[in-house]
Amino acid sequence: MPHRQPDLDLSPRVSDEVRKTTCYMCACRCGIDVHMKDGKVAYIEGNRDHPVNKGVLCAKGSAGIMQHNAPSRLRAPLKRVGPRGSGEFEEISWDEALSLATEWLAPLRETAPEKLAFFTGRDQSQSFTSYWAQNFGTPNYAAHGGFCSVNMAAAGIYTMGGAFWEFGTPDWDHTKLFMLFGVAEDHDSNPIKMGIGKLKARGARVIGVNPIRTGYNAIADDWVGITPGTDGLFILALVHELMKAGRIDVDYLARYTNAPVLVNSDPKSPEHGLFLRDGDDKPLVIDRNTGKLAAFDKPGIRPDLHATHRAAGITHRPVMHLMAERYLDKKYAPEAVAERCGLTVQKIRNIAAELARVAFDEAFTLDREWTDFRGETHQTMTGRPVSFHAMRGISAHSNGFQTCRALHVLQIILGTVEVPGGMRFKPPYPKPVSAHPRPHSNSAPGKPLDGPHLGYVTGPDDLCLKADGSPARIDKAFTWENPLSAHGLMHMVISNAHAGDPYKIDTLFMYMANMSWNSSMNTGGVMEMLTDTDENGDYVIPRIIYSDAYSSEMVAYADLILPDTTYLERYDCISLLDRPISEPNAAADAIRWPVVQPDRDVRGFQSALCELGARLNLPGFVTEDGGQKYADYADYITNHQRKPGIGPLAGWRMGKHGLTHGRGAPNEAQLDSYIKNGGFCVQHIPEDAQYYKPWNMAYQDWAVGIGIFDSPQPYIFDLYAEPLRRFQLAAEGHGERQPPDHLRERIKATLDPLPIWYPALEDGHVDGEEYPIHALTQRPMAMYHSWGGQNAWLRQIHGYNPLYLPTQLFQQHGFSDGDWARVTSAHGEITVPVAHMAALNPHTVWTWNAIGKRKGAWALKDGAPETTKGFLLNHLIHELLPPRGDGLRWANSDPVTGQAAWFDLRVKIEKVRAPDEAHPVLPRIASPVGQGPDELTWKVGK
């Protein structure tokens, strides 16, 4: 008899149904197809029709199924019953939880709304949470950007109206040379991988600048292993070389930047360093056609980069003169900077030459007619195929703002921003400073705040100060200490609240912010601040409300827990009002929606805020008769209007003649339309409007049509940032609003209107010989924040983290892989396992961030490697710099924006005998969800 083949199902049924939504395993916001079997999640893959990832999905995204089913998920509202930090809670009902929150918050709103500090972490609904805080009336609101990448964002806005990642992206289809600085693998990972894939397929070159050669830098054609904190010096050396060789785009600089704008050059004038302006307050240039003064945007003019103007005894010089004087100085020459940067003179020169060669010798044109804001019609678009990308690596230093500005200036002098082949903005960017709100902080009992909390200041008059000059905000954002703090200072909230400086608060309300662990500097100190009591035995920070989806370390330090859903169980709005999923050729927004219903007594945090807002009688959350205005967050997304015709979502609105995209009245079926379309909406930019966005009137008109602007907002790039000069003038004694005397010299030195470089502030507070080594963290591609450390699939990739040492240090101390080291900073010490890594800056050690976990958190079993071998570098970092004998404690932050200077850390190392586990060893916290099973398995489908 012939052998009988077994019956095999060669095409097994993957799912009964596919539900399309948006991933939240990192901040990429990729589209995903969630395959369902019998009402449960069976499989997650990329959505091939989605504009962000086009079907590509990383390990994190695929592992979302394990995140959704994590044993650490919170199950019900919790009220603390043990001491703070113990993790001892009892489950309560939602009615009791919201009643308790109302009981705590209502008296504050009626008497002193500033005593509520409401800060959110990596959520993507900041236009909503800020709206809630504004209606409550507290000035104390911000999100996590102040400790993440505000330097990059703010420097981009103040220089050119946007920056990288969520603001802009390389022109992957045309660029021939791509240079990236300090980009960790978790940021924008799928789009960058896809883009680099395009470059490699075309033979384009990639240059990676990073002390650590992992991820994107590992596949770069040229790796620049720079010394941490010196990126700005390296960039300005490139600017020096390009200007010295005359390899800059002078036509681009004259037309589209403030290089020709005239600046008051009289040191005795109270307007020294400010622009010469006309009666309409427009900056003036010299017109090459007539040799006369003209407004920068006057039709038909040709701005002159060379000519000066003298009036009333004062000479006014173009910005280009000031740039030439500064950057042609020999102190920026490669010979003067190479050693500090850890590079060779020839390496700097070679990169400058390569940038120039590709930008100018490989320039190309697109045959696309377009009309600029001066009314001139151009028959072609000039492509300069050099593009840049940068993120937190250059941002998280105390010189990060000026370093980021320097990088933007480097792009601009090459003429590579918003041109074919260069860096391109994503709608709603570009937006000049003038298109953004100013920060507001005037609070009054029982009333909403007088305007948005966050914004962009243009001078001292915009600072958030009380009448006596003291900070109006608990984090001291928008003060003389850090004037341009566009995202707030989340890392300073707890320490300031604990110190009662500038005042005491009553309630700390936080969402998705793991501040008792990996999201805080001085982790041990923060835990003490959260549990510290006064002479009466009361907690110094009286009340803490926290919302999270999981049993994180921060849960243990709250008094009341509002349990959030997983990202597959709730509505989210990825809005053009906030952080959309746009691409350079299209405006796009997206939603998440409940592809499954929770099997626990949990609610989406935003929906909980809708009910809490109504219970508190907040104006934006109650109807005229006092009822709850929004039943839940889905109702808010659908029906809220920030102004007539403009709501959280731009797609499928109600127009005069039916459904429309952009402006329009609310549409009750809007969310259904998004769901049917895969969870997103795309509005493509016309071909003639896709480049030169700040100056292209076709783009400006299109942006007005979809609601980005109310009127066209063309502008020129700010190589010279006049708002910074206004702060310098105040520090020099001009104007009514004056800084404290102890800050005058720092303001004059660091708030320079042209990009500068200065050493990291920690270098001036610690002994460089005692602490000679730089220490960094970066997040791995398979990890985002601390969530991945509970994920059954992702834990197999990163179960613990060693401290990586470069060859010289490794050999000098006699290490072998698996040995342990004591790592000491001016603030503290840790004892951790080490490993050797050759492709690393010789003066730098590093580790993965957020792998280490606190015992009892995340439902991890006792003895899990994350809790015994995993560790945090955060224990070595303080929110304040070490004392230096002047009687002051300076913040460990950028003096311009207040961004946390995570990467300025200096340490020393020594080999020690291996302990039983990584130090410091903290007591186990109780888990409100218990511990997970030995194996996380389940069957989906019958």
Side-chain angles (χ1 to χ4, degrees), residues 146-147 151 392 395-400 491 521 760-762 775-776 877-879 881 891-895 898-906:
F147 67 67
N151 275 336
R392 192 168 177 232
S395 182
H397 292 281
S398 53
N399 56 24
H491 58 291
M521 297 170 154
L761 297 185
E762 181 159 334
L776 304 176
I877 309 171
H878 203 286
E879 74 274 6
L881 291 168
N892 187 14
S893 305
D894 188 298
Q899 171 162 349
W902 296 95
F903 297 160
D904 286 353
L905 178 63
R906 301 293 290 268

Side-chain angles (χ1 to χ4, degrees), residues 862-914:
D862 289 339
E866 291 89 345
T867 66
T868 57
K869 287 187 175 181
F871 66 91
L872 296 177
L873 214 57
N874 305 50
H875 293 292
L876 302 179
I877 309 171
H878 203 286
E879 74 274 6
L880 299 175
L881 291 168
R884 64 178 184 186
D886 58 3
L888 301 170
R889 289 302 301 273
W890 300 86
N892 187 14
S893 305
D894 188 298
V896 182
T897 65
Q899 171 162 349
W902 296 95
F903 297 160
D904 286 353
L905 178 63
R906 301 293 290 268
V907 302
K908 60 182 177 182
I909 59 174
E910 57 184 312
K911 184 177 179 179
V912 297
R913 180 178 297 176

Side-chain angles (χ1 to χ4, degrees), residues 239-298:
V239 171
H240 171 92
E241 287 292 286
L242 292 166
M243 292 186 72
K244 182 178 175 182
R247 299 285 268 173
I248 60 177
D249 192 335
V250 292
D251 184 65
Y252 183 98
L253 291 171
R255 290 177 181 273
Y256 309 129
T257 80
N258 67 6
V261 168
L262 297 167
V263 180
N264 183 317
S265 299
D266 183 0
K268 297 179 181 179
S269 170
E271 295 185 346
H272 177 223
L274 300 183
F275 295 151
L276 184 64
R277 295 173 179 270
D278 66 10
D280 295 323
D281 206 35
K282 290 186 177 181
L284 293 169
V285 300
I286 298 292
D287 179 11
R288 289 177 59 189
N289 297 322
T290 64
K292 296 181 179 180
L293 290 175
F296 78 94
D297 60 350
K298 183 179 179 180

Side-chain angles (χ1 to χ4, degrees), residues 427-450:
Y429 298 95
K431 284 185 180 180
V433 170
S434 59
H436 291 268
R438 306 291 173 263
H440 295 74
S441 60
N442 291 326
S443 61
K447 295 183 179 179
L449 199 68
D450 61 333

Side-chain angles (χ1 to χ4, degrees), residues 593-665:
W593 59 284
V595 298
V596 287
Q597 293 298 318
D599 58 358
R600 310 164 316 288
D601 191 16
V602 298
R603 297 183 185 179
F605 177 65
Q606 294 83 359
S607 291
L609 280 186
C610 287
E611 182 172 342
L612 182 58
R615 287 178 179 234
L616 291 167
N617 200 34
L618 303 188
F621 290 85
V622 291
T623 58
E624 290 183 1
D625 60 3
Q628 184 170 329
K629 186 172 185 178
Y630 303 113
D632 53 22
Y633 191 40
D635 189 8
Y636 171 91
I637 294 171
T638 302
N639 292 301
H640 175 71
Q641 294 190 80
R642 193 53 54 97
K643 53 187 176 182
I646 303 297
L649 292 173
W652 293 284
R653 304 190 69 80
M654 296 300 296
K656 293 180 180 179
H657 307 291
L659 294 181
T660 183
H661 296 320
R663 297 176 184 270

Side-chain angles (χ1 to χ4, degrees), residues 81-404:
V81 294
R84 257 201 217 150
S86 67
E88 298 171 10
F89 292 92
E90 65 176 7
E91 292 189 355
I92 59 176
S93 69
W94 272 98
D95 182 66
E96 184 178 351
L98 293 174
S99 295
L100 186 58
T102 303
E103 178 186 324
W104 291 351
L105 297 178
L108 302 185
R109 182 169 188 271
E110 295 306 317
T111 59
E114 72 278 2
K115 290 188 176 294
L116 168 65
F118 180 43
F119 284 73
T120 70
R122 288 174 173 83
D123 70 295
Q124 294 170 5
S125 57
Q126 290 160 24
S127 66
F128 170 78
T129 51
S130 65
Y131 180 74
W132 190 95
Q134 186 177 335
N135 277 275
F136 186 92
T138 178
N140 294 317
Y141 166 84
H144 88 290
F147 67 67
C148 182
S149 56
V150 67
N151 275 336
M152 181 58 66
I157 295 294
Y158 278 101
T159 310
M160 56 186 190
F164 304 110
W165 190 29
E166 290 170 311
F167 297 76
T169 190
D171 187 353
W172 298 115
D173 292 325
H174 294 104
T175 196
K176 297 179 181 179
L177 178 60
F178 176 49
M179 192 171 184
L180 72 166
F181 291 75
V183 181
E185 283 82 67
D186 71 308
H187 270 109
D188 202 20
S189 61
N190 287 333
I192 284 188
K193 285 182 287 187
M194 294 159 60
I196 291 177
K198 286 184 176 182
L199 301 187
K200 292 286 186 178
R202 293 204 318 271
R205 280 176 50 77
V206 178
I207 300 175
V209 183
N210 198 314
I212 306 158
R213 190 167 198 183
T214 61
Y216 310 128
N217 293 278
I219 59 171
D221 300 286
D222 192 357
W223 171 58
V224 181
I226 198 163
T227 298
T230 65
D231 304 81
L233 196 56
F234 167 54
I235 292 165
L236 293 177
L238 296 175
V239 171
H240 171 92
E241 287 292 286
L242 292 166
M243 292 186 72
K244 182 178 175 182
R247 299 285 268 173
I248 60 177
D249 192 335
V250 292
D251 184 65
Y252 183 98
L253 291 171
R255 290 177 181 273
Y256 309 129
T257 80
N258 67 6
V261 168
L262 297 167
V263 180
N264 183 317
S265 299
D266 183 0
K268 297 179 181 179
S269 170
E271 295 185 346
H272 177 223
L274 300 183
F275 295 151
L276 184 64
R277 295 173 179 270
D278 66 10
D280 295 323
D281 206 35
K282 290 186 177 181
L284 293 169
V285 300
I286 298 292
D287 179 11
R288 289 177 59 189
N289 297 322
T290 64
K292 296 181 179 180
L293 290 175
F296 78 94
D297 60 350
K298 183 179 179 180
I301 67 162
R302 295 289 179 124
D304 195 327
L305 291 174
H306 175 71
T308 63
H309 176 76
R310 187 165 178 82
I314 296 175
T315 299
H316 301 269
R317 305 164 63 204
V319 166
M320 196 67 200
H321 280 207
L322 308 182
M323 291 182 62
E325 281 184 359
R326 171 160 296 174
Y327 301 127
L328 290 177
D329 191 301
K330 290 182 180 179
K331 71 179 183 181
Y332 292 114
E335 292 86 352
V337 310
E339 184 176 354
R340 277 180 288 174
C341 296
L343 308 175
T344 65
V345 170
Q346 196 58 47
K347 169 72 82 173
I348 297 173
R349 286 203 173 120
N350 288 348
I351 291 175
E354 181 73 354
L355 291 171
R357 185 190 65 78
V358 177
F360 300 110
D361 299 347
E362 297 195 25
F364 63 98
T365 58
L366 297 181
D367 290 327
R368 294 190 193 178
E369 182 180 289
W370 68 285
T371 300
D372 69 25
F373 67 109
R374 295 188 181 98
E376 183 175 349
T377 298
H378 307 262
Q379 299 304 314
T380 61
M381 296 179 172
T382 300
R384 302 214 180 277
V386 174
S387 58
F388 296 83
H389 190 78
M391 266 306 291
R392 192 168 177 232
I394 68 169
S395 182
H397 292 281
S398 53
N399 56 24
F401 176 82
Q402 291 288 12
T403 292
C404 294

